[in-house]
Structure formats: structure tokens, C-alpha cells
Amino acid sequence: MERLAEALDAWRQAIGTEHVHVDAGTREAAGTATFATSQRVPAVLRPGSREEVQRCLRIAHALRVPVYPVSAGRNYGYGSRVPARTGSVLLELGRMNRVLALDEELAFLTVEPGVTFAQAHAFLEEQGSWLQLTTIGGPPEASLVGNALERGDGGGPYGDIFQHVCDLEVVLPTGEVLRTGPGRYPGAQAAEVLRWGPGPALDGLFSQSNLGVVTRMTFWLAPRAPCVRLVSAPLEDAARLETVVDRLRLLRLEGTVREAFSLWNDYKLFSVLGQYPWEAAGGRTPLPEEVRQRLREEQGLGEWHLSVPLQAPSEEQAQAAWGRVEAVLKGVLPGLTCYREEEVGEDVLRRVPSARNLRMMYWRQRSPMPAEPDPDRDGCGFVWLSCAVPMTGAHVERALAVAEPLPLQYGFEPNLCLLGVSARCAYLVIALVYDRKVEGEDARALECYHALQKAMNEAGYYPARLGIQAPVLGAGAEDDSAKVLGVLKAALDPHGILAPGRYLP
Amino acid sequence: MERLAEALDAWRQAIGTEHVHVDAGTREAAGTATFATSQRVPAVLRPGSREEVQRCLRIAHALRVPVYPVSAGRNYGYGSRVPARTGSVLLELGRMNRVLALDEELAFLTVEPGVTFAQAHAFLEEQGSWLQLTTIGGPPEASLVGNALERGDGGGPYGDIFQHVCDLEVVLPTGEVLRTGPGRYPGAQAAEVLRWGPGPALDGLFSQSNLGVVTRMTFWLAPRAPCVRLVSAPLEDAARLETVVDRLRLLRLEGTVREAFSLWNDYKLFSVLGQYPWEAAGGRTPLPEEVRQRLREEQGLGEWHLSVPLQAPSEEQAQAAWGRVEAVLKGVLPGLTCYREEEVGEDVLRRVPSARNLRMMYWRQRSPMPAEPDPDRDGCGFVWLSCAVPMTGAHVERALAVAEPLPLQYGFEPNLCLLGVSARCAYLVIALVYDRKVEGEDARALECYHALQKAMNEAGYYPARLGIQAPVLGAGAEDDSAKVLGVLKAALDPHGILAPGRYLP
């Protein structure tokens, strides 16, 4: 603790006393997520520039005090802003919120880690940009950089987000600065357009890791297409899923569908469209089957629901794409409908960041989502598990056979969503939603989470990203990766001061 | 040298005497490229399995004898199979040529490093596969793995090759084995379909580097489209290039053109279509301007020539895409024509690996390309430089202003090609073609190469890949990357035995 006091003094000098927070309120908020956590956060640092981040890390390195970087800290369901290990000082990058470049010709946006989806979208609107931002399932106040580093996924042609970023500026645990890609060379013209410059590609090393703090990143943006459609269909019967997934894979592989489709089950739809029907359920959880059936009938929903966005540069191309989708899917989905923009509302197809999906986290609350939602503060219980499933009907069936029954055994609805993130791989995203204020639920949720992860791993459907509630990687690997990752960690962070326990020990 | 003798003994025990070659002929061939080299190769090892590669590297590590891995060793223009530094033992992986998996559902192919484009294509044909292989500008006998690790580019929707690979199996310089992606976990189902499993993405680390030997890789394959077109146009006048590039960028960004277009200048076309007109040129080099004009007229060529392949799953989609391409390009390219498959020959659009482009290397030879071409053996002089240029007309003009005049000053034709590899970045590929048997040309070619690279770097158009003729990276960087790369190299290869001088020291 003496070291901590010394470090705090040094940090105050380095970034200003007003940006080093040690008050109980801030520290407690920093330790609060949407599930049970026991991490103690000794302080919160808010550096305002890359140079200040360097200073903070050099002090941490010299005095061996662990720090845990977050961009906006909105990683709901995976730990919000809470450090993976107790005793880590939070390095919160929200003050670094400058948009550094927008290039309308080469179609990219360069930002600092504090820039949020809402802010970036507003900026593009303000500039009258012809480009679109990827939208995510998370909140509008999430950080673009934070999301990309977690390898999040979203809507739009660049929804496999980390495949479409470039030129990361990274501060290493020892204070050095690195730029991935050609941007490190004087006067490099292709810095923002070539992912990897000559030599080893280092960007991946800093995603889902604790090897560096990213202080700047370029996002490639797709043009807003003049012609957009939403193809949509209810699946009356979950038995159709297998065939539907196989045909969707064909459409993804051949390039007709150029972005993620989504398949939501009824529980997921209920939780976004409304709140838990406490009265109809007679106060019981999980949702009784007869209430579930009734809700489905009332809202005209199937067991699952498919959405496939189509974007095209011309009416002819949009029409031809829809023709092809219809030819492939209509036979198994007679309810398949193609909506134009004016029919579904501009916001949905124009990629406006929305808090709509946040409602899901308030599903089991007794009062509606407030105007300024804060699931951490509001006691929302919310745990996410995202698993990688090869995109075949057979694999999806097998994964669902694990993911569907388990939550119910612990008293939670299996709130499920299958995202066609790439042509060959879907993410099965399982949400456990509860009310943290209900005695015993916190413990039950984490128990359920661990049982789910174990069962999914055993079936071979490993997670695509990890929350702080997950054990660190390595132990299970059959190759020498644990050793090699250890060597890399020791080389770049010899005192282990950066985010111990986050993905790596 | 004593250590070498000890190592040779150990290698003979490890992989069999018959796979350790020390005869003068083999060693000389291993040191011969398509330009002047002075590297001495003490021996050639030909391991037959991943385990044998591990043994070879453990011996190299223990005895501190450097080894230099090549897959098929067909990296023409960048050094063929010649080690970057003298004294490195060649580790030639050609015996590891098994196709390990083909998945027609999830559309991937898993191969060992010795598998060539010709072999993989023949395998797909044999299996009656519905999938296509990316084709490259290099020879059919090039290795898929080798090409991908150099981050080569090619035709087809997955032409930005390294963006479409997965699950690398890597032997580290110290003998450990690593699998990138989820394949390292027991029973992982998504090994071949999710690039990065949970945790840091390590694949990039082993591309364009000397940090590991890749012994297995999965390639995602695109379906063969039922409807293919080739859109093509001569550019009578190079002044059109600027506008053409800007409009091509639009077509790439919006997704109408889903693979690399290519713009070839007349010299490049001449060199693929025929050989140097020694008689017409009166024996002089470089090609006299009046002969150039006459060749162009005779062959009906413009100063540049554009090719844009289109692939679509349905006739309607192909028609709509061509309609859009025509609307965007016809105004600046009145000669724009859309050819159907039957008009251009099945091979071109069906992605059959072809030796056609190898002809270019024989441009200045006095006899025609033999039936079994081997540019190293045949004394072809051939040096390649590939630079990354942001895809705007203005950048392309600026890069060409450097790349066009310089070769002529050294007596070489500016053999140029602009590849629209991704939506935002083009590769300007400059070939210096000469006859190694002509006194003084070898030296002049490397002088020209270095002058070109210097001038392109100064203009900010850094190389996208490096040959062994290029200096190692690092010195010029403005960030701490040289130091960080040094730390990584020292951590993974403490005795520096793997491919010293290849991209990294």
C-alpha cells in the first residue's frame, strides 16, 4: 500500500490532482457491474492524452502497481468497467474523446478511445458525411475503440469490426509507443488504408489482451447505401432453424448477404419489446410456458425471428439481391417479407446508435428503464456469453441443445440470439437477465454462467470473447500457447502491471 | 563451422540422411534467385512433418545454427528461395504437401506448406468442388502457405489473401507448437471458421516475419459463381487514370466490385503477351519509344488497360452489377466492354492457376520460355517492388510520377501494374525485367531497385512486402516499433536462429 500512495502522488503530478479520483463513490462505482463482483478499485485515473497515458504506465511499471484500462467502460454483461483483479487502479480513457480525422474520400474515421458511438454518429451527421457507422447491440455510450478491441460485432458491411480497423497507436506497459501499420514511417501515405505495412502484423496482439493500451485507432467506414431493405420472417417452428441457417450460409458465402443476419428467439424479442409480465406470471420466474405462449400470440411472434439487412448502390442491385434471397429462403420461410426503408423507419436501416437493446437489461426490473439508463447503477442483473458456432444448421442445433435448457434450470429465460457475423461463423449470444436486488439471484446467475460456459466448451463451442467473470485462458489449451503467451506477456510487461487477469494472467 | 557439422549430424539423425542435402549443385541452386545474390547456403533440410520441423528447430536453437524456412521457394522477384543472410541453412518444406481437409459446407481448405496452387486446384477439380481458389500473379508451383505468409494478393473475392486464412499451426524457433485461433482447445468446433478464438490474435505475428515456421494453414474459399463477367477497357490516354481510379474506388467501397481490379501499363502487357522485339529495337534497350508505339498499334492496346472481374450468384445480380459499373465508368472509358465467360475463355474467369504471367520474366531473354520454366535456372533477371498507395487518383498520379521515369534512367522499361487489392489501398507493382546473362545488368538492376525504393519511400509509398534485396525494417520508424519488435524477437527466438534478416534482424 505504500507503493500505491507513492504511485498516487506521482500520478497526481503527472496528470493533475483533479484527474486522480480516490473518493469512495467513484471507487465503488468503478467496482460495480451488472453481476456480482468483489474487486476493490483503489483509485481511478483519467489521463487526457497519449503522453499522459505513457506517464501513468511508466509510474505503474516503476512502482509495480497494476492498472486496468477501459475506454468508456460500457462493457455490460462482460464486466462493465470493473478490473479483472482486485487492487487494480482503473485507467479510464473517457477524456481522450477527440475525433482525429474523417476522410470522406478514403472512407475512414480516426478516433481516440473515449469517442462513443453516439458521438461519432453525431459527428458524421454534422459533417453531412456519406459514410455509415457500424451499429452494435451495446449502448450508444460505448467506445468505438473499446468495442473493437473486444472484437465486438455489429450491423453494416463492416460488422466484423476488428477486420476493418487500421493503424492502432499503442502505449506499451513500459511506456513505449507503437503504431501498427505503415503509420510508423515518416510521411507514410497509406497509414490509414493498409492494415499491416511491411513486417509482422501486430494489431491482433492488442485485441482481447493485456499487452498494451490503445490510444488511437482508424475505423474503415462503408458508404451509406442509397437503397436499403430489411428482409424479415418469423420462424413459427424452431425445427426450421437448421435449414434456414444452412441457406443463410449460402447467401453469406456467395456474397448476396453482405452483413450479419440475426436470429432472435422469442425471449430476446420480449425483453427488447417490453418488460417481464410480473402480473401475468403471478410473480414467478422464469417465465411460465403458458405466459410465454400468450405473449407470443399477443405480439404475433414466432419461436424465432429472422432479420437480414440488404444494402445496395442501385435499385436494380437491391431488387436483384432480394430476388436471390427470396429464391433461396422463401421455400422454408413462407412469411419472408422485404421491407423498404419507409416501412421500417429510417433509424433502423440508417444505423443510428440506439438505446433500444439496453431495454433487455431492464427485463426483470419492476420499474421501466429510466430516461438515462445505467444498468450498473440501476441494479440490472445481466450476464453475457458469446460462443463461436460454425454456421451450419447441424452445429447450431447442437449448440442450442446445450444453451436452451440450462438457463431454465437456474431460473432464467434462455434469452438467445444467433448472429451471422461472418460467412462461416455465427455467434450464439446467451443473455442471463435478472434483478440484482432479488436475494440469491446474483449467485445463481454466476453459477449458471459457469455451468453454461463449461457445457458449451465441452460441446466445442468456445467463447468468442470473455467477460471478467470468465476464468483466464490457457489452462485448457492442448498446444504450447499458454507458455508462448506467457513469454510474450513477460517480454512486453515484465512486471505484469497491465490489466492482470484480463484474458491473460 | 564445427557447430554446423554437429548440427548436420543431428539433423541427419532427426529427419534421415537422404533429406539433408549438402551437395554443391543443391546448395548453389538454393542460393540462386532472379537477381544477384551472394548468400552461401551450407545445406538444405527437407523435413517431412511438423514433428521433424520441431526437431530441426530444436537442433538449430541448441547449436545456434541459423535456418531459413521456405515453403515452395517460388518467391520470384523477391528472392526465390535464397536466405536473407549468408550462412543460413535452408529449411525447405516442399515434402510437407498434404491437403489435410476440404470442407464443402463451410468452404475451407486446410493444407501443409508444400501444397502448391496447381496441386490445390487439381485437388478441387478432382473432388468436383463448388469452391474456387484465389489465383495469383506468381507461378502455379508457388505455395499457398508461403504466398499467404508474404501477404500476397490475387484474384477472386478473397484476393486480399491473409484476411481470409485461419488456424495457423506454428513451430516456434525453440520448438514449441502454437495454433492461432480456437483450434488449440480440445474438440473446438470453430477452429477453421473463427480467425481468433478468445484472447490475443497471434496470426499476424507470423506473417512477413521470422518468428515462427507455419506448418499448417486453413484457407477460406469462395464459391465459384455461376455467373461471371470480365469488364475491360483500354485507356488510350494515361491522363484518364486519375478519374478512373477515383471511380473504381467508389465501386470497390460500395461493394459492386468485390475483388481486385487490375490496371496494367503497355510494357506489362507486352511482356506477358510476347518477348522483347530485339530486331525492331535494333538490339537496343530499353525499348525505344517508336517501337513501343508501334507495338501498341499492332496489338491494339492503350497506354493502360483495365480489367474488372465480376462474379454473381444469379444472372439478375450479374446484370445489375454490370449496369452499375457501366453507369459509373462508361463516361470516362467509352471503350468499356463486358465479356461473358464464353468470350474470354473459361480459364481466366474460373481461376485456373496459369504460368501465363511467368512469361513476363522471360521478356528480355533471347529464346522463348521453355515448357518447364525456371526463372532462377534460366538466368531471368527479375526484381519486384510492390508499394502501398491509397486508392485515389491523386495518390496514384503522384506514385506513378516516381515509378515511371526511374527505371528508364537505368535502362529498364517501367513494367507497371496497379492492383485494387482492397477498397482503400492499391498496390503499385513495379517489375524490373532483364537478362542476367548481359554483363552489368545484375548490378544496374539492384541499383535501380534501391533508387526506386528510396524514392517511393520518400514520397510516402512504402512497400507492402519486401524481398531479400530490401534492407530490414526498423531503422526508419518514428515510433518505438524497432525496439518492440526486437523485444518480441528476443523473447521468441533468444538465439536468433530463425531466418535472420528476413523482415527483422
Side-chain angles (χ1 to χ4, degrees), chain A residues 105-106 151 163 172 176-177 179 184 186 189 197 199 201 204 208 221 249 424 460 462 478-480 483-484, chain B residues 105-106 151 163 172 176-177 179 184 186 189 197 199 201 204 208 221 249 424 460 462 478-480 483:
Chain A
E105 250 192 318
L106 289 165
R151 301 202 296 256
Q163 285 269 41
L172 295 169
E176 286 90 353
V177 176
R179 278 178 80 171
R184 68 179 65 139
Q189 303 286 0
Q208 295 198 356
L221 304 184
R249 183 186 66 248
R424 290 163 185 76
Y462 288 90
E478 295 178 314
D479 64 354
D480 299 311
K483 184 182 167 189
V484 176
Chain B
E105 251 192 317
L106 289 165
R151 301 201 296 256
Q163 285 269 40
L172 295 168
E176 285 90 354
V177 176
R179 276 178 81 173
R184 67 179 65 140
Q189 304 285 1
Q208 295 198 355
L221 304 184
R249 184 186 67 248
R424 289 164 186 77
Y462 289 90
E478 295 177 315
D479 64 354
D480 299 312
K483 183 179 167 193

Side-chain angles (χ1 to χ4, degrees), chain B residues 321-336:
Chain B
W322 158 239
R324 174 68 184 158
V325 171
E326 198 179 20
V328 173
L329 283 179
K330 192 90 175 186
V332 280
L333 290 175
L336 197 74

